[in-house]
Amino acid sequence: MPETVEAPLSDYEAELIRSSLTVVEPLAGEITVYFYAILFARYPDVRSMFPEGMDPQRDRLLGALLRIVDLVDDPESLVRFCAHLGRDHRKFGTRPAHFPAVGECLLDALARYAGSAWTPDVAAAWAKAYGAVAQMMIDAAEQDEAVRPAVWHATVVHRVSRGRGIAEITVRPHSPYAYAAGQYVSVETPWWPRSWRHYSVANAPREDGTLTFHVRAVDGGSVSGALVHRASVGDVIRLGPPTGDMVLDAAGHRKLLFVAGGTGLAPIRALVEEVDRRGGRHQVELFLGARTVAELYGFDEMLRLAQRHHWLTVKGAVSHEQIPGIRGLLPDVLAEYGPWYEHDVFLSGPAQMVASAKAKLILNGTAPHRIHHDPFETPGLSAS
């Protein structure tokens, strides 16, 4: 990526898009339903690219749209986000020819619900923005296609129940799968074709190439339910490309603070392994938090690691149970034990916890660029 990236829109065009979005955002659910209805009616061939159940897909469309609008005047971040979308969409079979159809239907849906707010200038700004985003995605997909596949088949080689609806599933990809500790992966099962869910890899890269996921089954979670209750050794799943910037190379300081809330331990566990692989050159403070002791997922394992590694310190906190030791919500516990301005911070867990912890850390002197976490819509342990 070049050092400076030109903004795709003028300040005036960006403001037009933001203003019009405030008009249609309360109607977002209706807009996405209408968008997919006209897309499938006008271009029926694309229906086979989508899952049978469309509700999660509608949520993802809205999330991506809001994120793009949020980044419209941050061109470098916009290019990075759109490049990720372009690479990731290869697994759906997306081709350059699909983008004009999607753009046509998206703008028609926005125009229908924006009403009088959809002026010629607004329409032109949206068309220009969509064209820029589509081209960024196409360029990234073409570059990615030249160096790696769109999907990887992987065989389940180990499965163990961890209780409370959580299963530890290890898979071996059929071809080399390069990723970094802390990244997450989209997974598709044979029982729910075209339904993809994100899961963080719970280990640093291994010599045998295997990856381990910690999956929790939740009510209505088709993919998680299939993985926890149906998958067995020998089954073959599909993996999308790895993604995420919550990697050790993002750290500039020798001191690290790792924070995992609830079942968000998977990427943090992988990062601990990566520190060990690199010779323990970092000092790591690890905080795990949950509502109760029973929900303090992976705590005993982390304590055993701390006993073996002088560079690792582990503390657990619970918020809704009277026990000896640390009590309280993780953001409050971090504030009590801080400040952490000399550390790079890696956060994983529920979006509300991550957002609250980030705000408190910044308030107490941690530089925002030293705080690393996955996008809020991609939890460390997927709940779908």
Side-chain angles (χ1 to χ4, degrees):
M1 185 187 301
E3 291 185 4
T4 59
V5 180
E6 184 178 351
L9 302 179
S10 67
D11 291 345
Y12 173 65
E13 290 166 330
E15 182 55 34
L16 286 175
I17 286 181
R18 286 204 173 94
S19 297
S20 60
L21 188 64
T22 62
V23 175
V24 299
E25 190 171 358
L27 305 169
E30 298 171 55
I31 292 172
T32 52
V33 169
Y34 180 75
F35 161 73
Y36 280 111
I38 61 175
L39 177 65
F40 296 156
R42 296 177 188 177
Y43 303 96
D45 290 347
V46 307
R47 182 62 182 90
S48 62
M49 297 168 60
F50 293 87
E52 182 176 338
M54 287 295 296
D55 287 345
Q57 185 66 33
R58 295 186 184 108
D59 293 340
R60 282 195 288 273
L61 171 68
L62 176 61
L65 188 61
L66 292 174
R67 183 63 175 156
I68 287 169
V69 171
D70 187 50
L71 295 174
V72 75
D73 53 6
D74 182 358
E76 291 189 3
S77 296
L78 180 63
V79 169
R80 186 162 55 248
F81 179 71
C82 292
H84 157 64
L85 287 181
R87 292 188 293 267
D88 191 61
H89 273 63
R90 291 184 57 218
K91 71 191 180 195
F92 301 119
T94 304
R95 307 302 301 171
H98 293 128
F99 285 90
V102 170
E104 168 201 319
C105 296
L106 178 61
L107 268 59
D108 283 355
L110 291 169
R112 175 185 176 91
Y113 287 89
S116 60
W118 194 258
T119 66
D121 282 355
V122 168
W126 273 101
K128 184 177 178 181
Y130 179 81
V133 166
Q135 194 58 53
M136 293 175 199
M137 292 178 64
I138 291 169
D139 291 345
E142 289 178 345
Q143 293 169 11
D144 197 55
E145 188 174 13
V147 297
R148 63 180 182 178
V151 298
W152 290 255
H153 290 83
T155 299
V156 177
V157 295
H158 185 69
R159 182 195 175 283
V160 60
S161 174
R162 293 299 186 187
R164 304 186 66 83
I166 298 173
E168 181 179 310
I169 297 173
T170 300
V171 303
R172 177 175 287 112
H174 297 181
S175 57
Y177 188 89
Y179 72 99
Q183 288 192 304
Y184 56 93
V185 175
S186 53
V187 175
E188 179 201 48
T189 72
W191 305 285
W192 293 92
R194 300 178 299 282
S195 291
W196 295 82
R197 299 295 183 269
H198 288 110
Y199 299 95
S200 290
V201 186
N203 60 278
R206 297 168 174 153
E207 289 188 5
D208 65 0
T210 58
L211 296 81
T212 297
F213 301 102
H214 295 177
V215 184
R216 179 181 60 186
V218 296
D219 293 339
S222 56
V223 177
S224 66
L227 289 171
V228 172
H229 301 302
R230 191 166 183 175
S232 59
V233 172
D235 287 333
V236 177
I237 64 174
R238 298 207 302 169
L239 311 177
T243 192
D245 299 321
M246 199 175 75
V247 297
L248 196 59
D249 287 343
H253 289 321
R254 183 172 173 271
K255 296 180 179 179
L256 304 177
L257 171 64
F258 291 166
V259 183
T263 51
L265 180 61
I268 299 299
R269 185 185 185 281
L271 288 168
V272 169
E273 282 192 10
E274 184 64 18
V275 172
D276 188 30
R277 280 184 5 131
R278 298 188 184 191
R281 296 193 300 269
H282 295 275
Q283 289 295 319
V284 178
E285 299 269 1
L286 170 59
F287 284 78
L288 303 180
R291 290 168 52 87
T292 66
V293 171
E295 296 171 347
L296 204 56
Y297 178 74
F299 183 58
D300 290 343
E301 179 190 8
M302 292 298 103
L303 284 177
R304 288 193 293 271
L305 284 174
Q307 290 173 354
R308 298 202 300 268
H309 301 304
H310 66 87
W311 46 263
L312 176 62
T313 301
V314 177
K315 294 181 175 67
V318 299
S319 58
H320 289 69
E321 190 175 38
Q322 293 287 349
I323 62 164
I326 304 174
R327 288 197 66 247
L329 297 170
L330 266 180
D332 299 327
V333 171
L334 294 176
E336 178 183 349
Y337 279 82
W340 304 100
Y341 58 84
E342 294 183 343
H343 293 67
D344 273 281
V345 183
F346 293 78
L347 305 172
S348 179
Q352 184 177 359
M353 183 281 291
V354 172
S356 178
K358 182 175 183 178
K360 289 212 171 188
L361 287 164
I362 293 173
L363 184 64
N364 286 287
T366 303
H369 71 277
R370 294 294 187 197
I371 303 174
H372 314 279
H373 59 82
D374 287 337
F376 289 136
E377 65 271 19
T378 310
L381 192 69
S382 179
S384 299

